[in-house]
Amino acid sequence: MKRFSFILAVLLICAMASAKDVRKISVTPSTAKIYVDGNYIGDGVVEVTMNRKDDFVVLKFEEEGYLPLEVKLFTSDKRKSISYTLRRDAYYDVTVESGSVNKYFAVTVSKDLYTEDANGKRNTEKAWKMIHQVLLNYFDEIQTTDMASGFVQTPWKYKTLTEAEKVARTRVSVKETNIGGDLTFQIKVSSEVAPVIGANRDESYREVNRVLKEMEPLISEFQTRLGKM
């Protein structure tokens, strides 16, 4: 009886094993995250157990700086080891990470760029001219200029990245404040990106902590030409 039970258990295990098969899945780069049917499994190399009753599983690979890849792995595909390679996202090659975008940073203005009379009234015209000069090095025009209220803003500047299938846009806002009694400008470089399809809708854009390389010098130029952080 015990021998019969043992044989039955072995047959049951074999039957269970025969109902499944394991595939080795690898991806380049090796740091890419691997998802199976929406569930995160691991990075770089994983083993996926295929249920023969299922026609396929959905594999998804993601890594920053690369285009995501989603494929179906069919049960009828008998390969035991399958490799995938992600394509570099061209957007990352024309942008740079920045901790200064999408938030205001302060620049204390050099006293060479404004004057104060005996009553403490300031003449900031020279400082505002400098701001316009800096902005017009990167933008064709200024959208809003209101020196009375101390606010300047550029229109969005768009750049279509065909290979990356994305549209990047950048805008700069400047407002005058006083910190510690010094003339200070609060400056915000807004950087957003959207897929090419839907890029004509504002809701398609999302903020990113990257800025186009051609726009990056704008931040340091504000700091060096207006004063220091």
Side-chain angles (χ1 to χ4, degrees):
M1 184 67 178
K2 289 183 178 180
R3 179 178 177 81
F4 175 76
S5 298
F6 174 76
I7 294 174
L8 183 62
V10 170
L11 291 174
L12 181 60
I13 292 172
C14 291
M16 292 174 63
S18 64
K20 300 179 180 180
D21 65 308
V22 178
R23 313 293 177 86
K24 180 181 178 181
I25 305 299
S26 60
V27 61
T28 302
S30 60
T31 51
K33 297 185 181 300
I34 302 175
Y35 299 83
V36 178
D37 289 335
N39 299 309
Y40 170 69
I41 302 299
D43 298 347
V45 180
V46 299
E47 288 188 344
V48 176
T49 300
M50 306 286 291
N51 289 313
R52 294 189 176 182
K53 64 180 181 179
D54 297 329
D55 293 330
F56 61 84
V57 296
V58 177
L59 304 176
K60 186 175 182 179
F61 308 93
E62 292 183 343
E63 171 64 358
E64 186 174 11
Y66 293 81
L67 296 175
L69 175 65
E70 184 171 302
V71 297
K72 289 181 179 179
L73 176 59
F74 288 88
T75 307
S76 58
D77 186 337
K78 299 304 181 182
R79 291 176 295 173
K80 294 298 183 181
S81 181
I82 308 173
S83 298
Y84 299 89
T85 300
L86 300 185
R87 287 198 299 124
R88 181 72 181 171
D89 187 344
Y91 171 73
Y92 281 77
D93 296 329
V94 297
T95 61
V96 61
E97 187 173 351
S98 174
S100 299
V101 297
N102 296 315
K103 61 184 179 183
Y104 281 98
F105 61 90
V107 175
T108 301
V109 179
S110 169
K111 294 187 184 300
D112 295 335
L113 294 177
Y114 67 97
T115 60
E116 290 186 356
D117 62 20
N119 297 318
K121 184 177 181 180
R122 286 178 179 162
N123 183 334
T124 60
E125 183 178 353
K126 191 174 181 180
W128 281 108
K129 283 184 177 179
M130 181 63 73
I131 287 174
H132 282 72
Q133 288 176 16
V134 173
L135 290 175
L136 291 173
N137 286 336
Y138 299 88
F139 295 86
D140 294 331
E141 61 179 336
I142 308 295
Q143 184 177 42
T144 303
T145 297
D146 189 349
M147 291 178 57
S149 62
F151 182 76
V152 166
Q153 188 173 72
T154 69
W156 285 108
K157 183 174 183 178
Y158 293 83
K159 186 179 182 70
T160 301
L161 309 170
T162 304
E163 187 177 348
E165 299 180 352
K166 292 182 174 69
V167 175
R169 69 179 187 179
T170 312
R171 180 174 68 183
V172 178
S173 305
V174 182
K175 59 184 180 181
E176 181 182 333
T177 60
N178 291 284
I179 298 178
D182 295 322
L183 175 62
T184 304
F185 286 114
Q186 295 282 341
I187 302 169
K188 180 180 180 181
V189 179
S190 300
S191 180
E192 299 181 353
V193 68
V196 170
I197 299 176
N200 60 332
R201 300 192 302 271
D202 282 342
E203 60 269 23
S204 298
Y205 288 85
R206 60 180 178 86
E207 292 185 349
V208 289
N209 65 342
R210 304 184 68 83
V211 64
L212 290 166
K213 289 180 178 179
E214 63 198 59
M215 303 296 289
E216 184 194 16
L218 182 150
I219 297 173
S220 59
E221 191 170 344
F222 268 127
Q223 296 166 352
T224 56
R225 297 186 68 180
L226 283 174
K228 63 180 181 179
M229 288 283 285

